Amino acid sequence: MPAPFSRDCQVGSTATASESPLPNVAAALRDKRKLKILAIGASPSAGRRSARGGHTGETKDILQQAIRGLDVEMINRGVSGELAAQAAIRIRNEVALHEPELVLWQVGTNDALIYVPLGELEQTIVETLRWLKERKVDVVLVGLQYVDRMAQDDHYRLVRELIRKIAAQENVIAVRRYEAQRLLAQAADSGGGLVPDEFQRSETGYVCLSQYLARAITLGVFGGNLRPRELQNLPPRPQN
Amino acid sequence: MIRQANAVDFWRGLALVMIFVNHIPGNYYGRFTHASYSISDSADLFVFLAGWALRHLVGTPERQPPTWYLVLRLGGRAVTLYAAQIMITMIALAMLASVAILRDNPLLLEWHNAAAVFHDPIPTHVGLAAITHQLGYFDILPLYVVLMVMAPGIAIVDRFAPNLLLPLSLLIYGITLAVPISIPTWPVDGQWFFNPLAWQLVFVLGFVMARPTGIGGVVRQHIVPIRIVALPILIGFVFVMRYGWWPDPTWFPQPRLFFLFDKTFVTPPRVIQFLALVAVISVAYPTIQRYGPRLVDFLSMLGRNSLYVFCVGSVLSLAGQILRYLYRGDIVIDTVVVIFGIAMMAVTAWLPEWRERVKGRPAPKLAPSS
């Protein structure tokens, strides 16, 4: 059964993730091994309830509830504000030290904000994904955040598209956080949401992110033929 | 009395300028700092020189201040550093919040580990006060605070069992890497970016090297052969850095931290490269002093006032990052930021020295009012 969504997060649920297999995570589950997840990149544990482990802690809880008998160890090595190039170096060391089955890599937002050249960013991400693949480590990419201010920014849009393109090309799951957060924002603007202020929406986005991540991982393990039951109860889609 | 320009202040001043430049990611001038060609960076130099400076405070075997004086003096220094850390962190948070409000962009609140301060303020403020929550690029002073808290212990061991100090430091370092022992952050789950249990080795190395006897004396006596050995090591690491000539980190045996390039644990390859760098570069100071006395005076002035300059430089580097975001950073913005930043650091260093100089002088006469 895929991990569930809370009511607040259902609005963005249709846009959460591309589906790709997570063979190494599936193998760990099959062998009843502890699942080690390395969370890295910009602010993977930032946000509300950080004292209880942030959204990575919530992702762990949701996964353990969704998959009976699953033992998850979440290794949090995120540095908020970190660029992809810096994270790429640390990923290699952290993988060598902890030997995780899965890396959750939140990437792109800060590179977009300081205008890292697209070619440089692409090379960094692709080389790292291939290095991880060679070492039998699955990856879930967490893409850019949505804020109204950046919606019109060309470079921000290009980075978002680049990450989607890389995910498709390299066959890795990309959690489409931008699209999900945009749906939440649109719902709020049309009066259907619970978080009218953009700063609060950013906070709520973290709560939903843990649910989207857990959903992406369960779908990556058990396959795309599982349809999320919550979709049947979705509220009316906001009009653009 | 303002002390004369010297090698320690000069190199410390240089480290401060490079830390300022390197703390603006994407900055064009970052490629001209040694961090682009070296595994170690200015942080290693800064901590090493802090250990070196501790030696001058502790004194020579012939002229040693009483232990209680050392404990009080170093404890006071730790409190000063702690206060500086809290102050620059609050300024940084205010800067991020201001720009986030002005630009209506909450993403700015997430820069440099700031997100938890805004989204989960109650425990995070406890963490800020306890320095268990640190902003990115504002994480070296917490290390320095811990090193200053450890400093009386280091000084006491050095006084009563000087030959034990470096082996003890190496033992703590080795255990920290072998286990490995992380220093956890709170409330955000993570680890200190600069692990004090590992970085104390660099501090102690500076301290023991500054001593004219013991290992410091041995190094001074054999500095020429040491430099001959160090030079190829240094050149080799330039190639490693530029072309990635280092085995894949997953190929190393356990405990792998001994073989990785890791800043958090200041791993052995990094320490070796740094010591080679110090051995080779230290030869340059007399030449620089001879042909560039103004540069030596300028950087020594920064080095003499390192805490003030570091604090202002940290805040200015964040301002530089914000400007790069606001104006799509390019070489023009970077040039303005670097020139203005170094000028402000110079003013920051000059001001306390000016106050020192005018102290005791009669106040200038006020012009008579009409």
Side-chain angles (χ1 to χ4, degrees), chain A residues 1 30 70 82 89 114 124 151 166 186 202-203 217 240:
Chain A
M1 180 64 67
R30 200 173 46 241
L70 177 65
E82 188 172 56
I89 295 168
I114 72 153
T124 302
I166 293 171
Q186 287 166 347
S202 174
E203 188 183 334
I217 294 167
N240 290 340

Side-chain angles (χ1 to χ4, degrees), chain A residues 151-169:
Chain A
Q152 307 305 320
D153 186 286
D154 284 346
H155 190 73
Y156 203 76
R157 179 179 54 77
L158 289 171
V159 171
R160 182 164 57 88
E161 288 170 0
L162 174 70
I163 289 171
R164 288 186 67 166
K165 185 192 93 176
I166 293 171
Q169 173 191 306

Side-chain angles (χ1 to χ4, degrees), chain B residues 1 26 35 60 64 114 124 175 197 210 232 250 270 306 316 352:
Chain B
M1 182 74 177
T60 57
Q64 290 183 333
T124 310
I175 293 170
L197 294 175
T250 58
R270 186 177 172 117
S306 60
L316 287 171

Side-chain angles (χ1 to χ4, degrees), chain B residues 240-254:
Chain B
V240 166
M241 185 70 185
R242 299 301 293 177
Y243 304 108
W245 291 355
W246 194 254
D248 189 294
T250 58
W251 296 351
F252 290 114
Q254 297 287 1

Side-chain angles (χ1 to χ4, degrees), chain B residues 91-255:
Chain B
I91 293 172
L93 289 169
M95 288 167 72
L96 292 172
S98 306
V99 183
I101 293 167
L102 286 172
R103 301 289 290 189
D104 192 26
N105 188 347
L107 295 181
L108 272 296
L109 300 180
E110 308 208 355
W111 274 17
H112 310 322
N113 213 19
V117 178
F118 299 109
H119 295 313
D120 197 10
I122 297 169
T124 310
H125 274 77
V126 178
L128 286 175
I131 58 172
T132 59
H133 185 80
Q134 300 157 11
L135 302 187
Y137 298 121
F138 288 75
D139 39 23
I140 196 167
L141 275 187
L143 165 70
Y144 209 9
V145 170
V146 175
L147 292 176
M148 276 301 129
V149 170
M150 294 162 75
I154 292 171
I156 289 167
V157 174
D158 180 68
R159 181 166 295 184
F160 298 107
N163 293 333
L164 264 186
L165 183 60
L166 189 57
L168 196 61
S169 172
L170 280 166
L171 180 68
I172 295 170
Y173 175 78
I175 293 170
T176 303
L177 268 66
V179 172
I181 303 171
S182 294
I183 307 298
T185 56
W186 185 87
V188 174
D189 183 26
Q191 61 179 345
W192 280 41
F193 188 71
F194 290 94
N195 186 323
L197 294 175
W199 276 84
Q200 54 78 27
L201 176 66
V202 178
F203 186 72
V204 169
L205 281 169
F207 184 67
V208 297
M209 296 285 183
R211 190 178 182 172
T213 55
I215 191 166
V218 172
V219 169
R220 280 177 188 76
Q221 280 170 8
H222 300 93
I223 191 65
V224 174
I226 288 173
R227 281 181 180 140
I228 291 169
V229 173
L231 188 62
I233 293 175
L234 198 60
I235 293 169
F237 273 111
V238 170
F239 283 93
V240 166
M241 185 70 185
R242 299 301 293 177
Y243 304 108
W245 291 355
W246 194 254
D248 189 294
T250 58
W251 296 351
F252 290 114
Q254 297 287 1

Side-chain angles (χ1 to χ4, degrees), chain A residues 64-87:
Chain A
Q64 290 187 153
Q65 282 167 17
I67 303 170
R68 187 178 296 171
L70 177 65
D71 183 11
V72 177
E73 181 187 351
M74 194 66 84
I75 302 146
N76 199 339
R77 290 292 178 267
V79 176
S80 113
E82 188 172 56
L83 302 177
Q86 297 162 333

Side-chain angles (χ1 to χ4, degrees), chain A residues 131-206:
Chain A
W131 184 88
L132 287 166
K133 198 171 192 177
E134 283 169 15
R135 274 130 201 102
K136 299 189 186 308
V137 180
D138 294 331
V139 184
V140 173
L141 291 177
V142 181
L144 273 61
Q145 290 158 265
Y146 173 81
V147 289
D148 293 340
R149 181 81 192 186
M150 300 307 291
Q152 307 305 320
D153 186 286
D154 284 346
H155 190 73
Y156 203 76
R157 179 179 54 77
L158 289 171
V159 171
R160 182 164 57 88
E161 288 170 0
L162 174 70
I163 289 171
R164 288 186 67 166
K165 185 192 93 176
I166 293 171
Q169 173 191 306
E170 301 298 320
N171 196 28
V172 299
I173 293 176
V175 173
R176 291 196 287 264
R177 186 182 183 193
Y178 182 97
E179 287 78 358
Q181 282 184 311
R182 186 172 59 189
L183 289 175
L184 287 169
Q186 287 166 347
D189 291 343
S190 61
L194 302 173
V195 278
D197 175 75
E198 183 160 38
F199 283 72
Q200 277 179 279
R201 275 208 302 272
S202 174
E203 188 183 334
T204 305
Y206 275 109

Side-chain angles (χ1 to χ4, degrees), chain B residues 12-85:
Chain B
R12 187 141 60 174
L14 186 65
L16 287 163
V17 171
M18 290 196 289
I19 287 173
F20 164 67
V21 173
N22 289 142
H23 280 191
I24 308 172
N27 186 344
Y28 176 79
Y29 295 95
R31 72 196 63 192
F32 301 117
T33 65
H34 84 282
S36 296
Y37 306 92
S38 157
I39 304 165
S40 64
D41 57 29
S42 304
D44 309 61
L45 186 57
F46 201 65
V47 173
F48 181 84
L49 292 176
W52 194 288
L54 178 66
R55 167 64 59 194
H56 294 290
L57 199 71
V58 167
T60 57
E62 300 81 40
R63 292 185 61 184
Q64 290 183 333
T67 306
W68 64 265
Y69 170 84
L70 267 182
V71 171
L72 280 182
R73 177 93 192 260
L74 295 170
R77 181 73 176 158
V79 171
T80 305
L81 292 167
Y82 171 79
Q85 166 69 9

